[in-house]
Amino acid sequence: MGIKVAKFGGSSVADGIQLTKTKQIIEADPDRRYIVVSAPGKRFDGDNKITDLLYLCKTHMDHNLPYDQVFQVVTDRFMAVELNLGVDVNLQSHFEQIKEQLRKGCSADYIASRGEYLNAVLIAAFLGYDFVDAAGLIQFDSKGRLMQKETDEALRSELAKHERAVIPGFYGTDAADGSIKTFSRGGSDITGSLVARAVGADMYENWTDVSGFLMADPRIVKNSKPIHKISYKELRELSYMGASVLHDEAIYPARMANIPINIRNTNHPEDPGTIITAEQEETTTVVTGIAGSKDFTVIAIYKNMMSYERGFVRRILAILEDFDISFEHLPSGIDTVSVVVSNKSIDGRLDELLDAFEKQLNPDTMEVFEDISLIATVGCGMSRRSGVAASLFTALADADVNIRMIDQGSSEMNIIVGVENKDFEKAVRAIYNAFA
Ligand code: ASP
């Protein structure tokens, strides 16, 4: 028998109806032995996620406002699910404990984590699986960083004692004081990946409400083709640019252990979804996906004989460090370097930044292009193929899109272009049509 770790996201575990589908999926394959769950998500447009409501309790608490009503909405939802599923886990006693902690002024991390905790308790009972708390197993250091090795060992030795278990996603504990600590939002994906590595799973299934990744954002490209297979590396390039089905940090643990990740749709379990693996075997696909985001600034710095000057780029980076800005790209020419940074990271300090460049770099000229979008065209099939860049640039020229910046990753797996924000959607569609 193999081992599959199946993580179910908020919409897959939002209510009794969804949980019935989830149970059918789990029971359809006896390999699905370790189940990681999110807190109940939205049941319909405009509904609330339990995690959001729990954070709201904390906000009320911090402002000395009554939080009972908000907490009541949370407890009502769990009680309805308990009734619906016909299980009895004595939710009331759990609610009392949580209320007690709220009265004592618990942390935001603690209260937020209770959505996953309560859901896992309920789902374990519904499935007849053991409940294994993530507290004490998933461990963080005092700076909030995941302790990889300790976590892996603790999960491995605990889960070895359970043939089948449900584990709450999203949180663990501070190793020093035992207090609850969460990952960033959407972090149950990371829990699933950690569990998959710890139990040596053959597959990490991530069940959500879409049938995997699409080649391009469906809000921009209608009926975009699905991606059936993608490598970890390609996905990294795409998620970095804003394709968000899976938490960025969820790839690493599975990747370390070479465990494929399969994104699946709870509402359409018959769809194969997207498989994420180490390497794309010989593929006929040139471009795997296209992703991008808006609102970047390009600062082009020109200086005659720059290439002979030692430490020029180091000084640029030192200035960025002073401003606490991380750059996205740094394309360079003989006498020019362009610094590409997000508008968000500039945070209204463009004039100050330019002033610092002026004073410390003494450039001949600088040019600033604001409101730039970056578009990454990603595919490991690209390096083996000639003419990819030509097709891409021709497609953009035909669509009358002016390219403000080009950067090809050294992996030859992606080509990044900078275009004006107003051309963003048009450019994505042009690239998609050229390669889909
Ligand atoms: N419930 C958490 C959130 O809404 C974590 C997760 O679902 O992955 O962010």
Side-chain angles (χ1 to χ4, degrees), residues 249-408:
E249 293 163 49
I251 299 172
Y252 183 74
R255 180 177 180 171
M256 286 295 288
N258 219 344
I259 299 167
I261 306 173
N262 189 191
I263 309 290
R264 300 285 293 267
N265 189 343
T266 302
N267 302 320
H268 290 284
E270 68 287 357
D271 288 352
T274 303
I275 299 250
I276 311 159
T277 50
E279 290 304 331
Q280 282 267 53
E281 59 256 21
E282 276 305 303
T283 165
T284 48
T285 324
V286 181
V287 168
T288 308
I290 303 149
S293 32
K294 286 186 173 175
D295 297 332
F296 294 89
T297 295
V298 180
I299 305 169
I301 305 166
Y302 303 91
K303 187 167 191 185
N304 195 24
M305 307 306 268
M306 174 196 290
S307 43
Y308 292 104
E309 205 172 311
R310 300 275 182 272
F312 195 83
V313 173
R314 181 181 50 72
R315 293 210 301 279
I316 295 178
L317 297 183
I319 297 168
L320 292 177
E321 200 176 339
D322 285 347
F323 278 77
D324 199 24
I325 293 176
S326 53
F327 71 89
E328 306 292 329
H329 297 278
L330 208 65
S332 65
I334 296 291
D335 286 335
T336 73
V337 177
S338 291
V339 183
V340 186
V341 289
S342 70
N343 292 359
K344 198 163 155 244
S345 67
I346 293 184
D347 195 17
R349 298 169 298 166
L350 183 62
D351 288 341
E352 284 169 62
L353 183 64
L354 293 176
D355 206 42
F357 281 163
E358 190 69 55
K359 288 207 179 90
Q360 297 181 46
L361 303 170
N362 200 17
D364 295 338
T365 50
M366 285 194 291
E367 252 184 303
V368 178
F369 307 99
E370 286 179 84
D371 302 322
I372 295 288
S373 297
L374 296 181
I375 303 170
T377 303
V378 176
C380 51
M382 274 198 304
S383 60
R384 291 187 289 270
R385 212 59 66 95
S386 56
V388 180
S391 313
L392 192 147
F393 298 134
T394 308
L396 290 175
D398 289 349
D400 206 20
V401 172
N402 188 7
I403 305 174
R404 309 307 294 255
M405 185 213 84
I406 301 168
D407 197 10
Q408 179 170 27

Side-chain angles (χ1 to χ4, degrees), residues 7 10 38-39 49 51 116 170 185-189:
K7 180 259 165 180
S38 282
K49 290 183 176 188
T51 311
E116 270 70 12
F170 190 40
R185 296 298 305 264
S188 300
D189 286 344

Side-chain angles (χ1 to χ4, degrees), residues 7-10 37-41 49-52 55 112 115-116 169-171 183-191 247:
K7 180 259 165 180
F8 289 86
V37 295
S38 282
K49 290 183 176 188
I50 290 290
T51 311
D52 291 334
Y55 278 121
E116 270 70 12
F170 190 40
Y171 71 94
F183 290 107
S184 54
R185 296 298 305 264
S188 300
D189 286 344
I190 311 172
T191 309
H247 194 296

